[in-house]
Amino acid sequence: MSTANSSLFLFFFFFSIFSCIKSDDLQILLKLKTSLQESNTDVFSSWVSSGNMSNFMGITCNSDGFVKEIELSNQKLTGTLPLDSICQLQSLDKLSFGFNSLHGSVSEELNNCTKLQYLDLGNNFFSGAFPSISYLSELRFLYLNNTGVSGVFPWKSLENMTYLVSLSLGDNSFHPAPFPNEVVKLNKLNWLYLANCSMEGGIPSGVGNLTELINLELSDNNISGEIPAEIGNLKKLWQLELYNNLLTGKLPVGFRNLSSLENFDASTNKLEGDLSEVGFLSNLVTLQLCENQLSGEVPAELGKFQKLVNLSLYTNQLTGPLPQELGSWAKFDFIDVSENLLTGPIPPTMCKRGTMRGLFMLQNKFTGEIPASYANCLTIVRFRVSNNSLTGIVPAGIWGLPKVNIIDIAMNQFEGPITKDIENAKALGQLFAGNNRLSGELPEEITQATSFVQIELYNNQLSGKIPASIGELKQLSSLKLQNNRLSGPIPVSLGSCSSLSDLNMAGNSLTGPIPSTLGSLPTLNSLNLSDNALSDEIPRSLASLKLVILDLSKNRLTGQIPESLSIEAYNGSFDGNPGLCSQTIGSFKRCSRDSRMSKEVFTLILFLALGLMILLVSLPICFYLKKREKDHDRSLKEESWDVKSFRELMFSEDEILDSIKQENLIGKGGSGNVYRAALSSGKDFAVKHIWNTDTTTGRKKIKSTTPILGKRSEKSKEYDAEVLTLSSIRHVNVVKLYCSMTSEDSSLLVYEYMPNGSLWDRLHSSNKMELDWETRHEIAVGASKGLEYLHHGYERPIIHRDVKSSNILLDEFMKPRIADFGLAKIVQANNGGKDSTQVIAGTLGYIAPEYGYTCKVSEKSDVYSFGVVLMELVTGKRPIEPEFGENKDIVNWISSKINSRKSVMSIVDSRIPEVFKEDAIKVLRTAILCTARQPNLRPTIRSVVQMLEEADPCKLVRIAINKDDSTKKMEAKENEKTNLDP
Ligand SMILES: *[C@@H]1O[C@H](CO)[C@@H](O)[C@H](O)[C@H]1NC(C)=O
Ligand SMILES: *[C@@H]1O[C@H](CO)[C@@H](O)[C@H](O)[C@H]1NC(C)=O
Ligand SMILES: *[C@@H]1O[C@H](CO)[C@@H](O)[C@H](O)[C@H]1NC(C)=O
């Protein structure tokens, strides 16, 4: 009895010891370990030749001691896969290597893994074509999305995979092919992901056989034709993604039978007809049909959908009213029905659950008032109802919504005042309220909405004084108050709005002198104070501005027009001021010398006296400031710093901390000050200092990355984004991050130092330099490669979201590097590259139109911004210049110039020599493609790199600009009805 027991015990003992030591399998695993040895991972530490395979991390053996599963997804693996040996594992039924950095080709020995039920090679950097795998007929799960492979996919291999449940082949640049017929026979499929893999032709009606499907994703292809009626058979379908294709026709009859459908997106197609079928899909959570040609009314049933949270129907031809109960059931998030022909009132209860973030109803024919309920909707981030026929008084609370980034109510018939509630609008960056009937005074409290970047209140009936403390709006870049009834003086404090570039107060009743402080605004380029009652002399300080528009006409100005302003460009700028005199402009009376002289002497004496006083008063202040600066330094050093380094460090913590002082300040970056650290080693670094508190004035709030601010401050989120992104990137055209240091109060990022500053500085700033065309072209190619790396070269695509010339830095050889990843966003694996709850990000002038709405922000949005940078390189102009006209940017301006060859040539920067102009035009053409209004018409950054390389001036290929596809597209774009700026 006991012998039997112990032998049984021994049997089990040996069995378990030897259960996973088949020596052939062990050798195969060790070989696998060797070929992945470069990986930065410790999963292999348990893989030792003397060990037991069942203890190998990621390995499962079967009861006979053979390797059954290899599960090594998401392990930072690099290297190539020795499939020839792996597929000698006789019992292998699961092979999972997703989300790694494997490269090389996928060899055809994969076909020997005949027992596989689960294969995941997705999200890697493989190359070459994918081999035939027709022997893998046991497969249940096949994940090959975003593998990096290209060429013709062996669709035929799928023919006998009758057990297949999940098939994921999307995000690969396969050779264009029609929807594979093999797939419609796989009737056990419940997951089919074929987005973004170059499919063309129609959707076969056989798709109706796939009745087990819960997810069908075909977005981002070139699929044409109509949606087959048979799709209505898919009773279990939960998600249907068809966006960004070429689908035509109506939603088929029977579409209503998709009774389980929760997410439906067919945006950016050419669908027409009405939405009557959609009215039956009562389980919908998100419905996105923007950018189609849909017409008819929005079905009343939508008002009863209990789960609906997102509704995006912008840019269609929908008519009639919206169901008034819309959005009142679930935690409604956003509505975007802009650019339709909708009528009737705004549904009043979309924020009933207190969760709504976006209300976009611009450019329709809505009537009635803004429902009072929205004044209490504290979650709103973007409120846009411009260009409708709305009336009544704007509910006071709207002005003070605490999270609102943008209030756009322009072009309606709103009345009443802007109330002092606006002091609560701490996140408000843009207020567009022009062309209404707003009245009353501008509340002093407006100056407490310190995130303001743009204020447009023109063509209203506002009266009273402009708040004297308006200078507290430090980030204000555009202030348009023209054609109101404002009176009193122009506030002197405006001189401290150091970002102001556009100031228009024309057509009011302003009195008093023009404050000389306006002359110290470094970036002002348009100043219109015409048609007021301004008096006194024109301050000489204005001469130091580089204004493109200066209009002081129709005032009561007196004295001499400063010599330096008496130039042709300002012809007419001073008309209608009978008191002005000039020595040079004929149409004015000549100034009498004497009176001026005495005045000047008087001024001189006054200045001397003032100077002396200031000197006396300021001595103690300076002393005090010095002292404070010192204290500040010390406090930095006293903090304890958490240092993370990403490259070999050649400096000490103290050396870096010592460099954070005023005299080393080289710039104010997007999210903090940047200092130059010249270290004892002789090497220079740039150090970005970011305060973690919310109180510092930092980046414009409109750039907030997510509409919901969590516990952590926005700034620290930006910081995290930047560190996360940059620490793992290595590319010659992306700025190098050496280390990050964090303390409780602030964070430091140490980068390589870029002696030539930014492309913006070199092109537009006061110390711009002559950039020859070859250099400009090299910068274009280099920067595009940096961006290409972000979009295509990294594990997940990274969307930079703030591509602009000031974020392209130049090293000592003028080689460009992409910088400032404060807004970068790594595309999540499961959202197919779209981000539908995007709020505005980026910088005015570079922002792609889709940011203005709610649909899909993708890599293509970066492509748009990069197109703007290319336009700057070609034209030498800034993205927004007053010469482009009201509300026009460089993109609109260029598209208005491309109708003839002559005017095209005229926009090329005159500093570019004639021989290179054709090359410049080629780059311009690429730029125009990049800035297509529709994201899907823009090329990928990869093809931008190619186009730019082809425009290499050294090749000396010169092709006359002819009416090819791109010019046709330009024309089409031009003919599009003028669109709202985002
Ligand atoms: C693997 O497959 C190839 C052909 O695809 C074949 O020549 C080879 O013999 C197979 N190897 C094994 C070990 O089965
Ligand atoms: C893509 O592949 C991964 C595995 O690599 C899988 O987890 C994911 O679900 C796939 N995505 C889609 C949309 O099918
Ligand atoms: C699929 O199975 C059929 C019938 O067994 C066979 O004739 C055919 O060759 C198989 N196809 C592939 C690609 O292996």
Side-chain angles (χ1 to χ4, degrees), residues 134 156 159-160:
S134 46
K156 200 141 181 50
E159 194 171 57
N160 290 342

Side-chain angles (χ1 to χ4, degrees), residues 88 108-109 112:
Q88 286 171 18
E108 27 187 275
E109 274 88 2
N112 294 358

Side-chain angles (χ1 to χ4, degrees), residues 42 336 489 696 718 799:
D42 41 64
D336 191 339
T696 47
E718 282 184 12
I799 307 182

Side-chain angles (χ1 to χ4, degrees), residues 132-137 155-161:
S132 160
I133 47 170
S134 46
Y135 286 103
L136 308 191
S137 53
W155 298 105
K156 200 141 181 50
S157 306
L158 303 174
E159 194 171 57
N160 290 342
M161 295 186 188

Side-chain angles (χ1 to χ4, degrees), residues 4-231:
N5 253 351
S6 60
S7 59
L8 198 64
F9 167 78
L10 275 180
F11 173 77
F12 279 116
F13 177 76
F14 281 109
F15 182 81
S16 60
I17 288 264
F18 294 111
S19 69
C20 205
I21 53 164
K22 295 293 170 184
S23 64
D24 285 354
D25 282 14
L26 179 63
Q27 291 315 315
I28 292 170
L29 290 186
L30 293 175
K31 185 162 181 204
L32 173 62
K33 175 180 174 177
T34 314
S35 67
L36 303 178
Q37 63 192 356
E38 309 247 289
S39 310
N40 175 21
T41 171
D42 41 64
V43 322
F44 295 125
S45 56
S46 56
W47 291 35
V48 287
S49 52
S50 58
N52 180 337
M53 284 192 290
S54 58
N55 295 331
F56 284 18
M57 194 173 163
I59 299 300
T60 310
C61 297
N62 64 11
S63 54
D64 298 333
F66 292 102
V67 173
K68 184 173 178 291
E69 297 185 358
I70 301 182
E71 169 49 87
L72 290 175
S73 54
N74 232 325
Q75 298 293 347
K76 303 192 180 140
L77 302 179
T78 56
T80 56
L81 273 192
L83 284 171
D84 50 347
S85 65
I86 293 176
C87 287
Q88 286 171 18
L89 294 167
Q90 295 299 314
S91 303
L92 195 65
D93 66 21
K94 176 170 182 178
L95 188 57
S96 181
F97 280 101
F99 297 106
N100 283 298
S101 302
L102 300 171
H103 60 87
S105 59
V106 179
S107 71
E108 27 187 275
E109 274 88 2
L110 177 57
N111 222 354
N112 294 358
C113 283
T114 50
K115 296 230 171 69
L116 280 187
Q117 301 197 5
Y118 188 108
L119 174 61
D120 177 7
L121 300 177
N123 304 293
N124 275 295
F125 297 117
F126 294 111
S127 53
F130 198 79
S132 160
I133 47 170
S134 46
Y135 286 103
L136 308 191
S137 53
E138 299 290 313
L139 277 177
R140 269 71 170 166
F141 301 89
L142 179 56
Y143 295 110
L144 298 177
N145 49 325
N146 193 23
T147 48
V149 300
S150 54
V152 176
F153 185 79
W155 298 105
K156 200 141 181 50
S157 306
L158 303 174
E159 194 171 57
N160 290 342
M161 295 186 188
T162 45
Y163 302 113
L164 215 50
V165 171
S166 285
L167 177 59
S168 206
L169 294 172
D171 301 320
N172 287 305
S173 358
F174 293 139
H175 198 271
F179 190 106
N181 253 320
E182 292 78 7
V183 169
V184 300
K185 299 192 185 118
L186 306 173
N187 57 13
K188 293 204 172 63
L189 276 185
N190 62 39
W191 187 273
L192 181 55
Y193 179 67
L194 293 175
N196 189 23
C197 58
S198 321
M199 272 201 303
E200 54 187 28
I203 303 176
S205 56
V207 78
N209 301 338
L210 303 176
T211 50
E212 295 296 313
L213 274 185
I214 56 173
N215 182 35
L216 174 56
E217 296 186 59
L218 303 173
S219 308
D220 292 313
N221 283 299
N222 291 312
I223 298 175
S224 53
E226 303 198 358
I227 301 173
E230 289 76 3
I231 208 160

Side-chain angles (χ1 to χ4, degrees), residues 841-872:
T843 303
L844 285 178
Y846 295 91
I847 301 173
E850 62 269 23
Y851 275 109
Y853 304 100
T854 49
C855 269
K856 271 88 64 190
V857 168
S858 66
E859 293 95 315
K860 293 292 184 71
S861 315
D862 277 353
V863 171
Y864 181 96
S865 311
F866 186 68
V868 174
V869 173
L870 292 179
M871 290 178 170
E872 290 178 73

